[in-house]
Amino acid sequence: MPVLTRLIPSPVVVDIRAGALDNLAGLLHDQRISSSGKLAVAISGGSGAQLRERLAPALPGASWYEVGGGTLDDAVRLGDRMKKGRYDAVVGLGGGKIIDCAKYAAARIGLPLVAVATNLSHDGLCSPVATLDNDAGRGSYGVPNPIAVVIDLDIIREAPSRYVRSGIGDAISNISAVADWELAHRERGEDIDGLAAAMARQAGEAVLRHPGGVGDDAFLQVLAEGLVLTGISMSVAGDSRPASGACHEINHAFDLLFPRRAASHGEQCGLGAAFAMHLRGAHQESALMVEVLRRHGLPVLPGDIGFTDDEFVSVVAYAPQTRPGRYTILEHLDLSTDQIRDAYADYAQTISR
Ligand SMILES: [Zn+2]
């Protein structure tokens, strides 16, 4: 018998709206994620205190755990501390670092994770990957997808706009990542998953073409949904392929070559995507990306985030080494440093016209 359908690993609940946080306790109970109310909540020491004060009365059975930082050691320690209680679930309440730590800790102790995002800095809030700093720099660790995702737009609006803007760059970069995947399919016969590609690309296109900005809820709704769908597209594909191509190799190279000066994930991915689209000859798409990134106050030239043109050339030259085995426009063109310099000059000139 042919396979007529497939199951997609995805959250049981996705609740994205203004005021969503007010219903967190009810949602956990109604969905039987936690009928006893015994929850381990991971939260940041600083900005988390206010949220804790607000939510604690509604979650009387919760134990609160301050997360030290965003390292693998922090995540292991968090899991060890939570292991001693008998909880129904782990709730990660905070930005990307907190959720990544909570994801890893929950996976280690075999509990489901509820992700409550307080900013939209990248597409990791609903992905099967935890990104954590380790001795070698930064690693990606496979974990189960969150069982529920809650994003309260009232909280997002309060987040520093730089973090929200970062998510725009990450979402838009999907378009370049999917183009890299298609290239690898054409040139290398790499398997492409049409559903995962469609989800990631549509998320990127919706953010790219939305006329609003970080100040309005309609835009934040589309951005939050786009980032959640992108995370699920990675579960469908079984790896980060739908959301990570040359754009992310360039981002990783910035992080590795200039760890102290690196900008945010989405800032670097957006810039990387615009340049990668130019490299693949998609000049119209590249120009639209540049226009939109600029409108949102995101960088389109290395100088916008404090890097020289030569430093950017060295970043692009190093980028393929950050993700061995991933075939993108960078591996396809296999440019020398001089050729990268020329291509960059052409990009810079094209977008200044
Ligand atoms: Zn990303």
Side-chain angles (χ1 to χ4, degrees):
M1 195 172 113
V3 177
L4 296 176
T5 185
R6 63 170 161 174
L7 293 170
I8 294 174
S10 54
V12 176
V13 186
V14 174
D15 190 9
I16 305 172
R17 64 195 161 87
L21 212 51
D22 295 331
N23 187 41
L24 181 63
L27 180 148
L28 295 172
H29 185 267
D30 295 348
Q31 297 292 332
R32 299 205 173 82
I33 294 168
S34 173
S35 27
S36 76
K38 286 209 65 162
L39 297 160
V41 187
I43 194 159
S44 83
S47 55
Q50 236 182 332
L51 277 174
R52 176 177 175 172
E53 219 168 284
R54 183 180 148 189
L55 281 172
L59 301 171
S63 306
W64 300 76
Y65 292 88
E66 275 186 24
V67 179
T71 69
L72 180 59
D73 287 344
D74 290 318
V76 170
R77 262 196 299 272
L78 182 65
D80 285 344
R81 285 161 60 211
M82 288 176 168
K83 200 162 55 184
K84 298 185 181 82
R86 294 183 175 217
Y87 301 112
D88 296 329
V90 175
V91 178
L93 176 59
K97 263 189 197 145
I98 302 291
I99 290 179
D100 277 337
C101 261
K103 263 187 195 170
Y104 188 87
R108 257 176 82 92
I109 57 178
L111 289 178
L113 176 83
V114 176
V116 184
T118 56
N119 69 45
L120 299 176
S121 56
H122 57 71
D123 58 26
L125 53 107
C126 188
S127 71
V129 179
T131 304
L132 298 163
D133 292 334
N134 56 28
D135 293 341
R138 187 163 288 175
S140 299
Y141 302 89
V143 294
N145 229 312
I147 192 169
V149 179
V150 176
I151 303 175
D152 186 335
L153 299 183
D154 289 337
I155 303 280
I156 301 298
R157 236 183 291 107
E158 302 284 300
S161 71
R162 183 166 175 241
Y163 291 125
V164 180
R165 289 202 313 262
S166 172
I168 300 173
D170 203 18
I172 287 176
S173 78
N174 289 3
I175 296 165
S176 180
V178 173
D180 280 328
W181 201 2
E182 289 170 333
L183 177 74
H185 177 66
R186 278 198 309 275
E187 295 291 325
R188 289 292 185 88
E190 185 181 320
D191 277 346
I192 187 164
D193 187 306
L195 176 61
M199 290 169 78
R201 177 155 40 209
Q202 291 310 312
E205 290 283 348
V207 173
L208 183 74
R209 290 169 198 283
H210 197 291
V214 295
D216 64 87
D217 274 9
F219 179 78
L220 291 180
Q221 183 88 37
V222 167
L223 177 60
E225 289 175 354
L227 294 173
V228 168
L229 287 175
T230 303
I232 299 171
S233 78
M234 290 187 244
S235 289
V236 172
D239 67 12
S240 62
R241 205 28 151 149
S244 168
C247 47
H248 277 61
E249 290 185 338
I250 289 172
N251 164 65
H252 293 317
F254 267 119
D255 287 347
L256 290 170
L257 292 181
F258 304 100
R260 279 169 220 292
R261 291 168 55 204
S264 74
H265 179 84
E267 286 173 328
Q268 292 174 172
C269 291
L271 165 61
F275 180 62
M277 291 309 277
H278 182 85
L279 276 184
R280 71 180 91 249
H283 292 179
Q284 233 175 330
E285 289 86 342
S286 171
L288 178 59
M289 268 186 196
V290 164
E291 183 192 320
V292 171
L293 291 170
R294 273 191 176 134
R295 178 163 63 78
H296 290 297
L298 285 158
V300 295
L301 290 169
D304 299 340
I305 43 173
F307 288 93
T308 66
D309 294 355
D310 275 345
E311 285 170 337
F312 183 66
V313 170
S314 70
V315 161
V316 175
Y318 183 72
Q321 290 175 54
T322 65
R323 197 71 214 237
R326 183 147 294 185
Y327 193 79
T328 77
I329 190 65
L330 297 177
E331 289 76 6
H332 180 65
L333 296 176
D334 193 20
L335 302 174
S336 68
T337 304
D338 281 342
Q339 287 171 316
I340 295 171
R341 194 169 286 120
D342 289 347
Y344 170 71
D346 187 54
Y347 164 79
Q349 200 190 14
T350 307
I351 69 166
S352 68
R353 276 204 285 268

